[in-house]
Amino acid sequence: MLNSVAPGRYAHVVGWGSAVPERVLTNAEIESFVETNDAWIRERTGICERRIASPDDDTVSLGTRAARRALACADILPNQVDLIITATSTPARFFPATANLIQDRLGATRAGAFDLLAACTGFIYGLGLAAAQIRTGAINTAVVIGTETLSRIVDWQDRNTCILFGDGAGAFVLTASEVPGGVLDVVLHSDGSGGDLLTCHTGMRSFWLEEEASRDAIHMSGREVFRFASRVMVTATEEVLERCGLEPEDVSLVVPHQANIRIIEAAARGLKLPMEQFAVNIERYGNTSTASIPLAFEEAMQAERVHSNDYVVLVGFGAGLTWGAAVIQWAARPTRAIQLRAILQESWYILARVRSLFLRFLRFIGALIFRKSDTER
Ligand code: COA
């Protein structure tokens, strides 16, 4: 995907952040309303608990918090951002896009913003697009966000699916640099013939039908998705590594989509890599779809598992069917933990809120004036 690039121009990940709701839902709690048990869920999926968004939270609020943390980590102010890509399967609204609302809350006034739907592979798709935009010279700085409230589209009576999913958000900040490395390459794939294996209808109804459309939930053919996932985690990783002239043993860390620990174990076996080389946090968050890779990545960074010049693979799969992988060559950057900048960033977000309210107020006044002049005509 990143073959035609401007020479000497690289796209580096310079900031990362995440946000999860406070409320924890344990396996034991799920036992109380659906026929399942903690031992089965742990053994078959590796999940012990997940986070569930409060009624006040949505993909916009979670995504905004993750993006703010990533920007603070990057030491970049929102007015330096050129592009915001939000990958989500659970947008708060059909439109405007979640990305537009996040852009407003960040006060990223120069940035273009759009949502992207590639289900759980969405973060890899977003990363690939952002890196390509940077490497061709079209933009300098991008924020890629994965944000989900899957708890709102899960059927809590369906034990095949309700045990798996959780809510959360994660974000990366990417910038252009002359330092070789960064996002080296990305492979993206799709096979829509498998679309029915994992699906959630919109609930829209035809003008010609009389019955009310019912709100839909996630439907999944678990075993088939499992087989597909175990296969493509290996093939996508091998493909992207080959394009970079690398072998699996060159990789220091694999950050896989967190859907089922057995899928990650199958990928490790297929790539002949030890499980210690995989970032895993599924036990605490379940499958957070587009948020799972940046969430696991942030934990790996906190644990200091990534060092200068390391090759890191991000690999994911999901509904669509979609799958993809990215290779990042990590470049050390000086930490600039400047307290003053943090205060400036907080003030920036307050001003962004005031600006947004002021613009809404101006629109309201404008509408009143037009209505008055219309009635006088
Ligand atoms: N608690 C207890 N028993 C359950 C259960 C649950 N939550 N869910 C299913 N079972 C039962 C099934 O009914 C079945 O019983 P049966 O043999 O009497 O019919 C048995 O467990 C085995 O079911 P199976 O579907 O073969 O289980 P599994 O080992 O494949 O695990 C999944 C099911 C869903 C965990 C697994 O298939 C999976 O993770 N698939 C991939 C899902 C995924 O990654 N989705 C997201 C993609 S982004």
Side-chain angles (χ1 to χ4, degrees), residues 117 284 350:
L117 204 167
R284 276 170 292 122
I350 294 166

Side-chain angles (χ1 to χ4, degrees), residues 11-182:
H12 284 268
V13 176
V14 293
W16 46 92
S18 67
V20 289
E22 274 175 30
R23 175 69 164 90
V24 173
L25 182 71
T26 62
N27 291 346
E29 283 175 278
I30 296 183
E31 272 180 34
S32 69
F33 54 77
V34 72
E35 199 187 328
T36 188
N37 59 78
D38 178 48
W40 191 95
I41 302 172
R42 280 174 195 256
E43 191 193 323
R44 305 306 293 165
T45 71
I47 301 167
C48 304
E49 58 187 44
R50 68 288 291 143
R51 300 297 178 99
I52 304 294
S54 74
D56 299 334
D57 262 328
D58 60 14
T59 41
V60 177
S61 60
L62 289 171
T64 304
R65 288 205 315 258
R68 283 184 184 189
R69 285 179 191 153
L71 285 163
C73 171
D75 198 17
I76 281 176
L77 280 176
N79 66 340
Q80 293 169 261
V81 176
D82 302 305
L83 181 65
I84 298 172
I85 302 176
T86 299
T88 182
S89 306
T90 49
R93 314 179 197 177
F94 279 135
F95 51 83
T98 299
N100 301 131
L101 301 174
I102 292 176
Q103 172 266 321
D104 179 54
R105 292 200 188 178
L106 293 177
T109 48
R110 288 182 46 243
F114 69 95
D115 280 6
L116 170 165
L117 204 167
C120 303
T121 322
F123 195 80
I124 305 268
Y125 270 73
L127 184 75
L129 294 185
Q133 287 284 96
I134 289 171
R135 292 199 66 181
T136 56
I139 61 167
N140 283 321
T141 303
V143 180
V144 181
I145 304 161
T147 178
E148 303 288 358
T149 49
L150 292 155
S151 62
R152 293 179 188 168
I153 59 164
V154 156
D155 175 356
W156 287 102
Q157 300 305 313
D158 176 9
R159 69 176 185 173
N160 292 306
T161 53
C162 76
I163 55 157
L164 297 174
F165 298 100
D167 300 337
F172 277 6
V173 176
L174 287 95
T175 56
S177 165
E178 290 168 4
V179 177

Side-chain angles (χ1 to χ4, degrees), residues 221-231 260 262-263:
S221 305
R223 286 179 204 178
E224 284 182 77
V225 174
F226 189 97
R227 277 198 298 275
F228 148 75
S230 305
R231 179 170 51 81
N260 186 320
R262 292 186 296 133
I263 293 174

